[in-house]
Amino acid sequence: VTSNLNSHIKSASHRRNNKTMVKFNVYAVAVFLATCAVSGSAFVPQATQSVNQESALNALPPMIIGPMIKRMRQEQATKKQPMIDAEDARGQAPGIRVGGSAWKWPPIWPYGDDFFIPTEDQPEPSNPQQSLQNMAGMMGGAPQMPKPEDLEVEEIEKLDVKKYWGEEKGDVRTALDEEAAEKLTEHFRFYLKPGMSILEFGAAENSYFPKDLEISRHVGVGLNEKLMNENPSLTEKMMVDLNNVVPERDVDSDELRKLKAEPFDAVVMTNTVDFLTSPREVFRTAWYLLKPGGIMLVPFTTKNEKEYVGKFERAQVKAWREFNDDQHMWITGSFFQFSAGEGWEQLLGFDISPDSAKDNLENPGPLSMFQGGKDNNMYVVQAVKAAAADDIDEEDPEKSISSKMWMLPTMEDRDKKLVGPRLARGFIKATSEEKKSAIAANLARLPKVYEALIKMDQFAFTFQAQSQLAADLALDPDFTASDEQIKALKQGAFKKFYLFWLLFAANSGSSITSFLCRSWIA
């Protein structure tokens, strides 16, 4: 997990800071040594220590510390420039921080299974000391078999979310900082317009909408019925656990699925993303329930807001507890990317913090000890639902085929980008309407194909080869993804199949996949 995040999220948001951080390290050493000169006990372990900012500053001559801090502040100001271009910023609300062209993503979902579990729910070995000893023995060339008792995992009483939100936190209000709430309301005013229908995930007693905003419908979804009853903006409410999902599909709620009949203009999810254990499925659900062109707004407060964290820390997932505000913005952006890919447009990140807030998006290095401000930062990550094609466009088949794969489960974004162009080429070359219709019908069957393909040896059968096979299956009018065909595909000798497939393709003009499926079934 750490490796993936360092390479795909952390590096993206800090890619301009490498040279600056080297300089900061040098300055940090200088300040540290100067502080040590003032206090003779600097190297003596103390139970508690505090830094005397004034003495630390006075430890360096004014002719050195003055220009040094000035230069560091100038470098910090340069780093704070938003990562946007003119096109991204045009027509958007103030505070835009990350534009659509700045986001960079890995080809597959980069997070481990434990990344979205509350920290207290993470199992730990019953004897961690013994585990360390075993590891040390293995590194020293003397591997030791662990004892059964060392492998036992301590039983943990996991969070009961319905009881937590409905009973334990039944009367606990979020109580955003007044200035932060004002900023959030102004952001909503920019994007939420009179007459809109709005779906709110994680609804409570306050939605922070402008008081004069007249909306046609406002459906609240959450687990705290008492607080939702206090919200004057809500026209309807639903008791739904957003963490109860059908993997890779949606939130497992028939109530929510029925809302698709009347999709919404906007989905809002304020201070809720930090509690999601299955974020992709929640964002997929939002996509399903939005009109094309509808907007999803995901505001969240800083992790340093002690009152908020103190109230709800138990339900916050590991990702929120262990990473900073900057990383939270990129992680939230990745939920849009890995839920529907290009099905989301205008993906933007905003820092709408009040003027009184600290700058938590950048690490000021040694200047952090001099940084003032309040922990009332507020951020928003948002995107607009793109319109999926109803039919395959004869003029631009690749674009419309790709849009039909946005919400397909099982397939990674990498797989969709590999399969899409191959299917488009096949569609262009198709000589009959029957073959073109087969492509349209078989698109929805690709997840069943990939359920078999992901079990292949990726070294012997590359992702490119897998995508070519999947495309050929989708192009075959005789392929229906029947249980018999999928069973035959799963039982095939995959390593041998690749060579066989190439030889057969070179010496036959008939349907490859039809022949294979029929042969295997026989």
Side-chain angles (χ1 to χ4, degrees):
V1 172
T2 303
S3 175
N4 283 329
L5 287 172
N6 285 339
S7 59
H8 299 303
I9 296 176
K10 201 170 179 180
S11 64
S13 58
H14 295 90
R15 62 184 181 275
R16 297 170 299 173
N17 299 352
N18 293 339
K19 294 182 180 178
T20 306
M21 288 308 298
V22 173
K23 296 177 183 177
F24 280 173
N25 291 337
V26 174
Y27 296 149
V29 172
V31 174
F32 174 71
L33 293 176
T35 307
C36 294
V38 175
S39 173
S41 60
F43 291 100
V44 179
Q46 302 289 333
T48 57
Q49 291 186 353
S50 61
V51 177
N52 187 322
Q53 296 180 11
E54 184 178 354
S55 64
L57 278 172
N58 292 337
L60 290 175
M63 61 184 299
I64 297 177
I65 192 67
M68 182 181 81
I69 290 184
K70 181 180 179 181
R71 184 174 180 181
M72 291 169 71
R73 284 174 175 161
Q74 289 173 343
E75 291 173 344
Q76 278 298 115
T78 301
K79 290 195 302 177
K80 293 175 187 175
Q81 296 298 316
M83 291 182 284
I84 59 171
D85 55 34
E87 185 63 30
D88 290 330
R90 187 175 295 115
Q92 302 297 339
I96 187 169
R97 174 76 185 180
V98 185
S101 58
W103 306 98
K104 304 296 179 186
W105 311 115
I108 61 172
W109 178 248
Y111 309 112
D113 293 337
D114 66 340
F115 207 68
F116 301 106
I117 298 176
T119 303
E120 287 80 359
D121 290 353
Q122 307 262 350
E124 295 182 3
S126 59
N127 189 351
Q129 186 62 35
Q130 184 61 44
S131 298
L132 290 174
Q133 291 175 3
N134 291 339
M135 185 180 295
M138 293 174 70
M139 293 175 66
Q144 302 177 27
M145 292 298 293
K147 300 176 182 177
E149 57 268 24
D150 295 334
L151 296 177
E152 292 178 1
V153 177
E154 182 182 355
E155 288 190 12
I156 297 173
E157 184 178 352
K158 294 189 176 181
L159 182 69
D160 183 337
V161 291
K162 292 183 178 179
K163 181 179 179 182
Y164 181 82
W165 294 110
E167 299 177 20
E168 295 178 31
K169 301 297 179 180
D171 295 313
V172 180
R173 288 158 175 74
T174 304
L176 279 183
D177 173 86
E178 188 175 334
E179 292 177 277
E182 224 172 274
K183 286 285 189 178
L184 180 58
T185 299
E186 287 306 307
H187 192 81
F188 283 149
R189 184 185 298 279
F190 195 94
Y191 292 101
L192 303 180
K193 302 303 179 184
M196 276 188 167
S197 58
I198 300 174
L199 175 65
E200 182 175 3
F201 286 162
E205 79 285 356
N206 193 344
S207 298
Y208 304 100
F209 296 165
K211 292 182 179 179
D212 58 349
L213 178 65
E214 295 182 3
I215 50 183
S216 62
R217 187 185 186 194
H218 183 187
V219 179
V221 178
L223 288 174
N224 195 323
E225 186 174 18
K226 184 174 183 180
L227 292 185
M228 283 196 288
N229 286 336
E230 297 179 17
N231 190 328
S233 177
L234 295 179
T235 59
E236 304 166 52
K237 63 180 185 296
M238 293 182 177
M239 299 293 291
V240 175
D241 178 9
L242 294 175
N243 288 335
N244 179 27
V245 304
V246 178
E248 298 193 37
R249 292 189 181 273
D250 61 356
V251 175
D252 193 8
S253 165
D254 289 334
E255 269 192 296
L256 281 180
R257 293 184 185 114
K258 289 177 183 177
L259 295 177
K260 191 177 179 182
E262 296 182 52
F264 294 83
D265 297 297
V267 173
V268 173
M269 187 165 63
T270 303
N271 277 347
T272 299
V273 67
D274 46 329
F275 307 122
L276 299 181
T277 58
S278 301
R280 275 196 294 187
E281 287 77 3
V282 174
F283 279 66
R284 279 174 174 265
T285 301
W287 193 92
Y288 281 128
L289 298 178
L290 275 172
K291 298 175 182 177
I295 188 171
M296 182 178 186
L297 301 111
V298 185
F300 57 90
T301 190
T302 176
K303 67 171 290 183
N304 299 325
E305 213 289 320
K306 294 181 176 58
E307 184 179 356
Y308 173 79
V309 173
K311 290 177 179 178
F312 308 114
E313 185 178 36
R314 175 65 182 89
Q316 286 184 318
V317 297
K318 178 181 177 181
W320 224 256
R321 298 270 290 270
E322 296 187 1
F323 292 88
N324 61 35
D325 292 349
D326 195 9
Q327 292 163 328
H328 290 162
M329 183 174 289
W330 289 81
I331 290 171
T332 304
S334 75
F335 298 158
F336 285 98
Q337 168 64 24
F338 290 105
S339 59
E342 294 176 357
W344 293 109
E345 299 177 326
Q346 301 176 44
L347 177 58
L348 303 171
F350 291 81
D351 179 358
I352 59 170
S353 303
D355 294 337
S356 60
K358 289 180 181 178
D359 180 10
N360 287 333
L361 281 186
E362 296 288 355
N363 178 11
L367 287 181
S368 59
M369 67 176 71
F370 314 123
Q371 189 183 43
K374 297 164 62 178
D375 286 315
N376 58 354
N377 307 70
M378 180 63 65
Y379 311 100
V380 183
V381 181
Q382 63 190 53
V384 172
K385 177 179 177 177
D390 294 326
D391 301 304
I392 298 179
D393 184 1
E394 297 276 351
E395 300 296 324
D396 188 1
E398 184 175 344
K399 183 177 180 181
S400 51
I401 286 173
S402 295
S403 75
K404 287 180 169 293
M405 293 193 294
W406 286 340
M407 301 301 287
L408 291 182
T410 308
M411 300 173 67
E412 294 283 1
D413 187 58
R414 168 203 62 211
D415 304 321
K416 295 172 184 178
K417 288 179 178 177
L418 288 171
V419 172
R422 290 173 165 83
L423 290 174
R425 288 194 295 270
F427 185 87
I428 292 171
K429 294 179 180 179
T431 55
S432 67
E433 288 300 319
E434 181 189 15
K435 289 187 176 180
K436 290 182 178 180
S437 299
I439 296 172
N442 283 337
L443 282 173
R445 297 164 181 154
L446 285 174
K448 292 185 71 174
V449 174
Y450 266 89
E451 284 177 5
L453 295 183
I454 58 178
K455 298 179 181 179
M456 290 185 178
D457 184 339
Q458 296 169 5
F459 294 98
F461 201 60
T462 65
F463 297 125
Q464 288 81 0
Q466 290 181 25
S467 66
Q468 186 62 59
L469 172 57
D472 276 309
L473 287 167
L475 292 168
D476 190 340
D478 292 329
F479 181 70
T480 60
S482 66
D483 291 342
E484 284 185 308
Q485 289 177 334
I486 296 300
K487 182 180 179 181
L489 183 61
K490 288 180 179 180
Q491 291 177 347
F494 292 118
K495 291 183 181 180
K496 296 179 181 178
F497 162 73
Y498 182 46
L499 292 176
F500 169 78
W501 173 55
L502 291 178
L503 290 171
F504 185 83
N507 293 283
S508 174
S510 61
S511 169
I512 299 170
T513 53
S514 176
F515 173 85
L516 287 172
C517 290
R518 288 168 183 163
S519 298
W520 288 340
I521 291 170

